[in-house]
Amino acid sequence: MDNIIIASSYQERLAAWKQALNSFGNTTTIKDILITGGLDVLRDEVVRIKPQVLMFDFDLLGLDGLQVVVNLRRLCAESKIIIMASDIHEDLEWELVKAGMRGCCKTDIEPNHLAQVVSAVQNGELWIRRTLTGRLIDELGKTSSKIKTFHATLGLLNKLTQREYDIALRVGEGENNKQIAQACKITERTVKSHLTEIFLKLNVTDRLNLALVLAADNRIACANMDNKIKSGSRVNDMKPFGEKRNMSDRLIN
């Protein structure tokens, strides 16, 4: 049984939308919510029902519209959001898509068209204006490029010597140069020298980006586990990666 929540501060809109969606028959439960105040009732129902589709008036979003969409998605990540709006600018519609919206259409849409929109979104499609297609393609291109660059950087970890990798791990754990020097029984000057070489090999510019690369490297879990076992610590005592990181340290300082 599919569940759909529709919400508006206008009773007539709710009635029209519900009538249009009755074409789904007994396989779908439609829960209509008349909003007369805040959005607490809507949030509670989203948590309780966990709808496949959440459709509501753009007017309900208020000034923090994008954040409202993000928060509703957090309550139930599986819910596909459709926003009904009289007229919104293309830039705002794009921002709503990035916030988690999956469909946008006019509040006075024809009943048979509304059922088509909901069905399409249920099946994983996007229902947005055609002019946003170019932006989607551009965004996918950027994401793909970032992923390729990131994976290429991960491959560069193999170029590190064992000493460099050990120091890189300690940077990822938040240790400063003095702590690293004491642990490795070397001078701080030598630590800085190693860090310079590490940054060059990985093509990163600071400790933050080095830590991000290490966080994605599946070797770090094994390395941390081995270090804890060797030091006699229990596995349950292990601190989360990055808990004590100080990212204000830049470069090799």
Side-chain angles (χ1 to χ4, degrees):
M1 177 72 71
D2 291 334
N3 294 308
I4 297 176
I5 289 180
I6 58 177
S8 175
S9 55
Y10 300 95
Q11 184 64 62
E12 63 275 14
R13 289 182 184 176
L14 282 177
W17 298 344
K18 190 169 186 178
Q19 184 176 3
L21 298 179
N22 281 336
S23 61
F24 286 115
N26 296 329
T27 60
T28 302
T29 300
I30 312 296
K31 172 67 176 180
D32 57 317
I33 304 175
L34 180 65
I35 305 296
T36 57
L39 295 178
D40 289 343
V41 173
L42 178 58
R43 295 188 186 97
D44 291 343
E45 288 300 289
V46 168
V47 172
R48 185 178 71 84
I49 297 176
K50 301 187 184 307
Q52 280 71 40
V53 174
L54 172 58
M55 190 176 83
F56 55 87
D57 245 330
F58 174 76
D59 297 341
L60 298 178
L61 296 179
L63 297 176
D64 298 324
L66 296 177
Q67 191 57 48
V68 171
V69 173
V70 171
N71 291 340
L72 287 172
R73 285 271 297 164
R74 286 174 179 168
L75 292 176
C76 184
E78 295 78 18
S79 295
K80 298 177 175 66
I81 295 176
I82 298 175
I83 294 179
M84 311 294 286
S86 298
D87 187 31
I88 62 174
H89 193 274
E90 179 178 325
D91 291 341
L92 178 54
E93 186 173 337
W94 173 241
E95 292 302 320
L96 288 168
V97 169
K98 292 196 293 183
M101 181 188 73
R102 291 296 172 262
C104 183
C105 54
K106 290 187 175 295
T107 53
D108 58 353
I109 186 174
E110 291 293 327
N112 60 318
H113 289 161
L114 180 58
Q116 183 182 357
V117 172
V118 173
S119 180
V121 170
Q122 276 183 313
N123 291 325
E125 298 179 35
L126 290 175
W127 196 280
I128 55 179
R129 66 181 77 192
R130 292 181 180 178
T131 51
L132 292 180
T133 304
R135 297 198 191 192
L136 280 172
I137 294 173
D138 290 342
E139 192 71 18
L140 286 172
K142 292 176 183 177
T143 302
S144 177
S145 177
K146 288 178 182 178
I147 291 174
K148 288 179 181 178
T149 301
F150 193 61
H151 281 300
T153 303
L154 285 179
L156 293 175
L157 284 170
N158 294 321
K159 293 187 175 183
L160 299 182
T161 65
Q162 186 59 51
R163 170 67 84 183
E164 289 168 348
Y165 189 71
D166 291 342
I167 290 175
L169 285 180
R170 292 184 179 278
V171 170
E173 286 293 331
E175 293 185 14
N176 58 37
N177 289 350
K178 183 177 181 179
Q179 291 171 321
I180 295 173
Q182 291 175 343
C184 297
K185 295 180 172 57
I186 55 178
T187 65
E188 289 187 53
R189 184 184 182 87
T190 303
V191 173
K192 290 182 179 181
S193 177
H194 281 306
L195 284 176
T196 298
E197 193 66 23
I198 291 169
F199 291 161
L200 287 173
K201 287 183 177 180
L202 298 185
N203 194 28
V204 297
T205 58
D206 52 41
R207 300 169 91 97
L208 171 59
N209 282 288
L210 172 58
L212 291 175
V213 170
L214 289 166
D217 180 26
N218 58 17
R219 288 182 294 176
I220 195 163
C222 296
N224 282 343
M225 184 73 75
D226 289 343
N227 288 338
K228 289 294 179 180
I229 292 173
K230 289 175 182 177
S231 64
S233 299
R234 294 179 302 162
V235 174
N236 290 337
D237 289 336
M238 291 175 64
K239 292 185 178 180
F241 177 79
E243 179 179 307
K244 55 181 180 179
R245 248 183 246 153
N246 181 2
M247 293 310 175
S248 62
D249 292 334
R250 301 284 293 179
L251 298 177
I252 58 174
N253 294 325

